[in-house]
Amino acid sequence: MDLLRSILFALIFYPATVLVCVTALIVAPFGTKPLQAVVRFWAVLHRWLMKYVLRIRFTWNREVPEGAYLIAVKHHAMLEAVDTLRFARTPIVVMKQELVDLPLWGWVTRVFGVIGVDRSAGAKALRDMVKKGKKAQADGRPIVIFPEGTRVPEGAAPKLGSGFAGLYRMLGMPVIPIAHDSIHVWPKGFVKKAGTVRFHVGEIIPPGLSRAEIEREVYEAINRFVAEEQAPRDEA
């Protein structure tokens, strides 16, 4: 059944993504608000398909606060990368430059508001991140960052990328860490599994901590479920 559900999900979600991109092109001349509404619809559709097609359920300990926060999210799969657009309320998302450069989709992300990271650019990449981050901060929009830098496999808890601490220090923003265990339902590969994903919104971490302190706080918070990831899970 997981295979059939995964096929149905792909048959609906990916063509719908193309339509969303085309719709975004049509509404873009009318301002950023209509485009943001289209992108949010895409994220809500993604959540609906996860719930009713893939049979993936979600539990949250509390809602993500609104406002200009740096939201640090554990990164296992596409699941949370798309869902951040729904639960973080029109965020600016830090993502790989390769995604920002994609035809059509990349254009939509740039108009919506993203921070593309060119990992080969070194210090210049951090300066660009800070410049765009300050604009997001001034607009009152949260910034979503995956501080590990890339998707990590089950049970993995790598060191945080250096860019996270630099962005935290230079923007002076409080941090909301978010842990989850999406790897159980969204493993690497095509087939997704029915089940429940737990999201845990950690306590707000104030600005002004040292690099060692903020990295330790965020590392511990986003890896809340890592020790449990080898345990079997019940299907929803």
Side-chain angles (χ1 to χ4, degrees):
M1 287 300 294
D2 285 336
L3 175 59
L4 293 176
R5 293 190 190 106
S6 299
I7 292 172
L8 181 58
F9 172 84
L11 289 174
I12 298 172
F13 179 70
Y14 293 107
T17 298
V18 174
L19 290 175
V20 164
C21 289
V22 173
T23 304
L25 285 173
I26 294 171
V27 304
F30 299 99
T32 57
K33 292 296 184 182
L35 185 139
Q36 289 172 359
V38 170
V39 173
R40 181 170 174 81
F41 166 79
W42 178 69
V44 171
L45 172 65
H46 179 256
R47 169 60 80 95
W48 189 91
L49 291 173
M50 286 192 292
K51 181 176 181 179
Y52 292 105
V53 175
L54 295 177
R55 296 188 63 195
I56 295 173
R57 302 293 185 264
F58 301 83
T59 64
W60 288 79
N61 64 317
R62 63 190 179 102
E63 291 188 356
V64 179
E66 293 188 46
Y69 294 97
L70 195 57
I71 302 178
V73 186
K74 180 75 179 177
H75 195 16
H76 277 312
M78 188 182 81
L79 181 153
E80 65 274 2
V82 177
D83 209 47
T84 57
L85 298 169
R86 186 195 60 80
F87 68 68
R89 297 171 181 81
T90 320
I92 299 289
V93 182
V94 179
M95 63 175 63
K96 294 184 295 185
Q97 188 64 41
E98 298 95 305
L99 296 176
V100 181
D101 292 338
L102 288 173
L104 187 57
W105 167 250
W107 180 87
V108 174
T109 65
R110 289 193 296 273
V111 176
F112 177 82
V114 299
I115 299 176
V117 180
D118 182 353
R119 295 172 183 169
S120 65
K124 181 180 181 300
L126 180 57
R127 289 195 298 270
D128 290 343
M129 288 172 64
V130 170
K131 180 179 178 181
K132 294 176 181 177
K134 287 183 176 179
K135 174 65 167 57
Q137 191 175 17
D139 293 341
R141 295 176 68 179
I143 300 172
V144 170
I145 185 169
F146 302 101
E148 293 158 316
T150 189
R151 299 183 194 182
V152 298
E154 183 174 3
K159 288 177 58 178
L160 306 189
S162 59
F164 167 72
L167 196 62
Y168 166 80
R169 177 177 59 85
M170 298 181 78
L171 293 179
M173 297 174 72
V175 178
I176 299 174
I178 298 181
H180 60 84
D181 55 357
S182 68
I183 193 67
H184 297 292
V185 301
W186 204 289
K188 186 176 181 180
F190 178 76
V191 178
K192 314 303 183 287
K193 300 178 180 179
T196 300
V197 179
R198 295 173 296 170
F199 278 85
H200 188 276
V201 181
E203 295 299 320
I204 297 173
I205 304 171
L209 300 183
S210 68
R211 175 173 178 174
E213 289 171 327
I214 188 60
E215 287 188 342
R216 182 179 66 251
E217 292 274 354
V218 170
Y219 180 88
E220 291 176 355
I222 67 172
N223 288 300
R224 178 185 181 91
F225 298 125
V226 168
E228 306 172 22
E229 284 176 0
Q230 298 299 329
R233 303 279 292 179
D234 294 330
E235 288 199 352

